[in-house]
Amino acid sequence: MAADRVTLSDVAREAGVSLATASRAINGSADRSVRPELVERVTAAAARLRYSPDATAQAMARGRTTTLGLLVHDIADPYFSAIAAAVVASAETAGLQVSLATTQNDPAREVQLVDLMRRQRARAVVIAGGRSAGSSTEDLAGQLAALRAQGVGVAAIGQPVPGVPSVAVDNLGGSASLARALLALGYRTFALLTGPRQRTTAQERCRGFSDALGAGGGVVIARSETPFTWEGGHAGMLRLIDDGSLHGVDAVVATNDVMALGALAAARERGLRVPEDVALTGFGGISTLRDVVPALTTVAVPMGELGERAVRLALTAEGDVVESVGCDVVVRASTPDLRRR
Amino acid sequence: MAADRVTLSDVAREAGVSLATASRAINGSADRSVRPELVERVTAAAARLRYSPDATAQAMARGRTTTLGLLVHDIADPYFSAIAAAVVASAETAGLQVSLATTQNDPAREVQLVDLMRRQRARAVVIAGGRSAGSSTEDLAGQLAALRAQGVGVAAIGQPVPGVPSVAVDNLGGSASLARALLALGYRTFALLTGPRQRTTAQERCRGFSDALGAGGGVVIARSETPFTWEGGHAGMLRLIDDGSLHGVDAVVATNDVMALGALAAARERGLRVPEDVALTGFGGISTLRDVVPALTTVAVPMGELGERAVRLALTAEGDVVESVGCDVVVRASTPDLRRR
C-alpha cells in the first residue's frame, strides 16, 4: 500500500477521538455502539480527509465478510455458467460479492474449498453440481453442517446434500415426463447414453425414464455408460453405432445436453441422419441447443431459478429444507411425431 | 458464529503468551516478527485446541487479502466463461481466490465495482471485455491507476486500458488474416454485421477486415450495425436479407461468433442456405461452433491464454505493458473454396 494513504489514525486525530472510537464509528462493531454525535464527527472528519474505509477491517469488526462463496464443477460448462450468472445477480441484490471456485468434479477438492470459505468467514456458501453416492458426500455434508453451526448460510443446487438446505432438480419427474412425451409421439424402442454410473443425477434420469417407459409399453434395448461431457456423448454414440446396437432403436436418449450434442456430431460423422434414421434427446436446456440442426428435444431445467432460489435459501433457511424445481419437456425437431409418418 | 468456537484468546492462554504474540505467530505481521520458539509453542497450542485460523484476520494482519477480483461483462457468455475458467485456474495456482463480478456492459457499474475491490483490499484485479472510446474508459483508467498506486496488481483483457498492463487481442491482425484467407478462397463481395459502432473491438475488426480486403481487390457492399449478441446477429441478418442487400454478396462476415450463430438461424428461417447461397464467418472461436451445421469459419482467440497471461501480468507487471495475443483463422465448411465450384 502507498505510504500516503489516509489511515484510520489520521481520521481519529482529525476528529479528536480515540482510534477505537473511530473504528467503531466507521466500521461498526459486533458488541459496542458509539454515540450518534461522535459518529457524525468521525464521518465528517473521514469525508474531509477523503478516507476510504477498509472492507476487510469492516468485516473483522462485524465478525463476518460480505462474501458469498460459489462452488461449481466447471465454469466453462454452459449449465454452470448460467447458474453462476443468476447467483451473481442475486448475491448482488443482497449486497454480497461472489467468490468463485471450481471443483473440477473432485470431491476431495470440494471439501478443501468449503474449508477455505469457512476460514474466510464467508457470509454464505452455495454449492452447485451433482454428487456421487458414498463417503465423499458424507464428508461434504459434515463440512457444510460445521459451517452452518458457525452461522454461515449454506445451500446446495442440483442434488440435495443431507442436512443442508437444497434446491433440487426434479430429475425423476422430468425424465418420466420425457418418456411419456416420446411414447405419445409413437416411440417404443430406446438406447440410453447413461452418464457416469456413480453419479446420482445420471442414475435418477435413467431410472425416471425407464420406469415411466416400462409403465407405458416402451423398452430400453441398448445403453452406453459415458462421462457427462461432449466427448463422452460422442464416444458413447460411436460405440452404439459401430457395434450395431442402434438397429431397431427409435430414439437415443442422453442424460444431459452436451452429451446429446456430442452424439449428434457422432451420428453426422457416421452418415446417420437425425431424426430420419434415429431420434435424439438431451436434458438441461442449455442455450446452444437453439443453434443446432435439428433443434434438440430436451428437458429444460430453469437454471436462473436454481441460482436465485439457492441464494435466497442460503441467506434465510433455518432447517433442512429441500425445494424441488420442476422441469419442462421441450419437444423439437429431433423427435418428430412418428404417428404421422 | 457459534459460542463454542475456539478463539485466538484460548490459544494464547494455552500457550502462555499474550494475545498480540499469538496473533503475530498465527497470522503473521506486516512489521513485527516473533521468535521461532514462541511460534512453535503457539502453533502446538493451536493444534491441541483444533483452532481454525481466521482468513480475514490474516488478511488484516498482512495488510492485504488473497482475493483476485475478476470483472466480466456476462459470465453466461461462452467467451467470458472460457476466460473465467482460465483465470480461476491460474489464480488458484498463485494461491488466490477469485471474486467474480459482472458489469452487464455498464461502464459506470464497472467503475463502482473496481472501487469496491479497492475497498476490499484485493491482491489483484483483472478486468475483461471490450471498451468504448471516451470518458468512461478514462474514468476506469483513473480508478485502475489509483489501485496500482496502492500496490494492487491490475490487468486488462481484450482491449488495453491506458496506463494498465493489458493482454490485447490482435483484432486488426486477425481480421486482416480472415480477409486474406477469404480472398484466397475466391470471395470478392462481402456484407458486414459490424457490432456496436462505439465499441473499439467492433471498430478494429471491421477496419482490419476492410483494409486488407481493399488491398486485395475485395469490396464490402453492405453492412448492418448490430448489438454484440445472438439476437443482434439474428436481427441484422434478417434486415440484410429482407431489404435485398445480400444480392451479389459472396459472404457475410460477423464481428463475433454469437452474432454469426444468430445470423445462421436467420438465414435458415428465410430459407437461405449457408454456404450454398451465402457464406458466413464469425470471430472468437467459442466451442459452440463445433455443433452447428455447417461448421463456422472463424478467427480463434486463445481465451485460456488470455486468462493465464492476465493473471501473470496482474501479479508481476511493473510498467505499462501491452502484450498482444495473436489469433488464428480457422476455415470450416461455412466458407468452401469458390474456385473449385
Side-chain angles (χ1 to χ4, degrees), chain A residues 8-328:
Chain A
L8 192 58
S9 299
D10 301 328
V11 175
R13 203 174 313 120
E14 172 84 8
V17 302
S18 72
L19 181 59
T21 299
S23 170
R24 281 196 287 271
I26 297 259
N27 297 322
S29 165
D31 48 6
R32 304 216 13 206
S33 66
V34 180
R35 276 181 294 137
E37 57 270 32
L38 282 184
V39 171
E40 202 172 302
R41 221 158 86 194
V42 171
T43 314
R48 276 197 301 279
L49 298 177
R50 297 174 174 274
Y51 171 74
S52 143
D54 181 329
T56 307
Q58 294 185 316
M60 277 288 286
R62 291 172 187 154
R64 57 173 31 163
T65 63
T66 55
T67 298
L68 180 143
L70 171 64
L71 269 62
V72 300
H73 288 324
D74 175 11
I75 191 64
D77 178 322
Y79 179 77
F80 289 114
S81 65
I83 288 174
V87 168
V88 169
S90 298
E92 192 201 332
T93 306
L96 302 176
Q97 291 82 49
V98 170
S99 178
L100 172 69
T102 55
T103 64
Q104 317 296 353
N105 274 310
D106 176 351
R109 195 167 145 60
E110 206 165 51
V111 169
Q112 278 171 4
L113 287 167
V114 170
D115 184 56
L116 178 68
M117 294 186 171
R118 185 173 61 81
R119 295 199 298 110
Q120 291 181 319
R121 304 282 182 263
R123 169 77 183 79
V125 171
V126 170
I127 183 160
R131 308 260 89 72
S132 301
S135 62
S136 65
T137 297
E138 284 164 31
D139 289 350
L140 182 68
Q143 280 265 359
L144 293 175
L147 264 184
R148 291 188 75 199
Q150 289 184 13
V152 178
V154 171
I157 292 177
Q159 288 293 336
V161 175
V164 172
S166 303
V167 192
V169 175
D170 183 12
N171 291 308
L172 283 169
S175 53
S177 298
L178 176 65
R180 286 190 291 269
L182 294 175
L183 287 167
L185 291 169
Y187 293 85
R188 290 293 172 268
T189 55
F190 297 87
L192 285 186
L193 295 171
T194 64
R197 186 196 308 259
Q198 70 281 12
R199 272 291 196 80
T200 316
T201 299
Q203 291 166 1
E204 288 178 353
R205 290 178 186 173
C206 288
R207 194 167 79 243
F209 186 82
S210 297
D211 288 357
L213 203 64
V219 58
V220 173
I221 60 178
R223 57 176 69 218
S224 181
E225 191 185 336
T226 51
F228 245 163
T229 59
W230 192 96
E231 289 74 15
H234 182 259
M237 185 70 165
L238 287 183
R239 275 200 304 275
L240 289 175
I241 297 171
D242 293 347
D243 70 10
S245 297
L246 285 191
H247 284 303
V249 165
D250 293 335
V252 173
V253 170
T255 53
N256 77 9
D257 284 341
V258 291
M259 279 167 47
L261 291 170
L264 182 62
R268 215 180 279 143
E269 285 167 31
R270 291 291 190 264
L272 203 70
R273 294 166 307 163
V274 176
E276 293 82 354
D277 297 323
V278 69
L280 179 63
T281 67
F283 200 115
I286 61 174
S287 64
T288 311
L289 297 189
R290 68 183 167 184
D291 292 316
V292 299
V293 177
L296 290 183
T297 292
T298 192
V299 182
V301 176
M303 290 167 270
E305 191 186 341
L306 287 177
E308 284 163 28
R309 283 209 195 196
V311 172
R312 192 163 39 72
L313 269 188
L315 297 179
T316 61
E318 291 302 312
D320 186 0
V321 187
V322 177
E323 294 186 2
S324 182
V325 170
C327 310
D328 294 319

Side-chain angles (χ1 to χ4, degrees), chain B residues 212-306:
Chain B
L213 202 64
V219 57
V220 173
I221 59 178
R223 56 176 69 218
S224 181
E225 192 185 335
T226 51
F228 244 163
T229 59
W230 192 98
E231 289 74 14
H234 182 259
M237 184 71 165
L238 287 183
R239 274 199 304 275
L240 290 177
I241 297 171
D242 293 347
D243 68 11
S245 297
L246 286 191
H247 285 302
V249 165
D250 293 334
V252 174
V253 170
T255 54
N256 77 9
D257 284 341
V258 293
M259 279 168 47
L261 290 170
L264 182 62
R268 214 179 280 141
E269 285 166 31
R270 290 290 190 265
L272 203 69
R273 294 166 307 161
V274 176
E276 293 82 354
D277 297 324
V278 70
L280 179 63
T281 67
F283 200 115
I286 62 174
S287 64
T288 311
L289 296 188
R290 68 182 168 185
D291 292 316
V292 299
V293 176
L296 290 183
T297 292
T298 192
V299 182
V301 176
M303 291 168 268
E305 191 185 340
L306 287 177

Side-chain angles (χ1 to χ4, degrees), chain B residues 37-54:
Chain B
E37 57 270 32
L38 282 184
V39 171
E40 200 172 304
R41 219 158 89 194
V42 171
T43 314
R48 278 198 299 280
L49 298 178
R50 297 172 176 276
Y51 171 74
S52 144
D54 181 329

Side-chain angles (χ1 to χ4, degrees), chain B:
Chain B
M1 277 172 276
D4 60 355
R5 195 163 62 79
V6 176
T7 67
L8 192 58
S9 298
D10 301 328
V11 174
R13 202 174 314 119
E14 173 83 8
V17 302
S18 72
L19 181 59
T21 300
S23 170
R24 282 196 285 270
I26 298 259
N27 296 322
S29 166
D31 48 6
R32 307 229 355 219
S33 66
V34 181
R35 276 183 292 136
E37 57 270 32
L38 282 184
V39 171
E40 200 172 304
R41 219 158 89 194
V42 171
T43 314
R48 278 198 299 280
L49 298 178
R50 297 172 176 276
Y51 171 74
S52 144
D54 181 329
T56 307
Q58 294 185 317
M60 277 286 286
R62 292 171 188 155
R64 57 173 32 163
T65 64
T66 55
T67 298
L68 181 144
L70 171 65
L71 269 62
V72 300
H73 287 325
D74 174 10
I75 191 64
D77 180 320
Y79 179 77
F80 290 114
S81 66
I83 288 174
V87 168
V88 169
S90 298
E92 193 201 331
T93 305
L96 302 176
Q97 291 82 49
V98 170
S99 179
L100 172 70
T102 55
T103 63
Q104 317 296 352
N105 274 310
D106 177 351
R109 196 169 143 60
E110 207 165 49
V111 170
Q112 278 171 6
L113 287 167
V114 170
D115 185 57
L116 178 67
M117 294 187 171
R118 187 173 60 81
R119 295 199 297 109
Q120 292 181 321
R121 303 283 182 263
R123 169 77 184 79
V125 171
V126 170
I127 182 160
R131 309 259 88 72
S132 301
S135 63
S136 65
T137 296
E138 284 164 32
D139 289 351
L140 182 69
Q143 280 267 358
L144 293 175
L147 262 183
R148 291 188 75 198
Q150 289 185 13
V152 178
V154 171
I157 291 177
Q159 287 294 335
V161 175
V164 172
S166 303
V167 193
V169 175
D170 183 11
N171 291 308
L172 284 169
S175 52
S177 298
L178 176 66
R180 286 189 291 267
L182 294 174
L183 288 167
L185 291 169
Y187 293 83
R188 289 294 173 270
T189 54
F190 298 86
L192 285 185
L193 296 171
T194 65
R197 185 196 310 259
Q198 71 281 14
R199 272 292 195 79
T200 315
T201 298
Q203 291 166 1
E204 289 178 351
R205 291 178 186 172
C206 289
R207 195 168 77 241
F209 186 82
S210 298
D211 288 356
L213 202 64
V219 57
V220 173
I221 59 178
R223 56 176 69 218
S224 181
E225 192 185 335
T226 51
F228 244 163
T229 59
W230 192 98
E231 289 74 14
H234 182 259
M237 184 71 165
L238 287 183
R239 274 199 304 275
L240 290 177
I241 297 171
D242 293 347
D243 68 11
S245 297
L246 286 191
H247 285 302
V249 165
D250 293 334
V252 174
V253 170
T255 54
N256 77 9
D257 284 341
V258 293
M259 279 168 47
L261 290 170
L264 182 62
R268 214 179 280 141
E269 285 166 31
R270 290 290 190 265
L272 203 69
R273 294 166 307 161
V274 176
E276 293 82 354
D277 297 324
V278 70
L280 179 63
T281 67
F283 200 115
I286 62 174
S287 64
T288 311
L289 296 188
R290 68 182 168 185
D291 292 316
V292 299
V293 176
L296 290 183
T297 292
T298 192
V299 182
V301 176
M303 291 168 268
E305 191 185 340
L306 287 177
E308 284 164 27
R309 284 207 194 197
V311 171
R312 191 161 42 70
L313 269 189
L315 296 180
T316 62
E318 292 303 312
D320 187 0
V321 187
V322 178
E323 295 186 1
S324 182
V325 170
C327 310
D328 294 319
V329 175
V330 182
V331 175
R332 298 202 182 99
S334 71
T335 57
D337 193 335
L338 291 188
R339 297 161 308 171
R340 295 196 197 141
R341 281 207 179 153

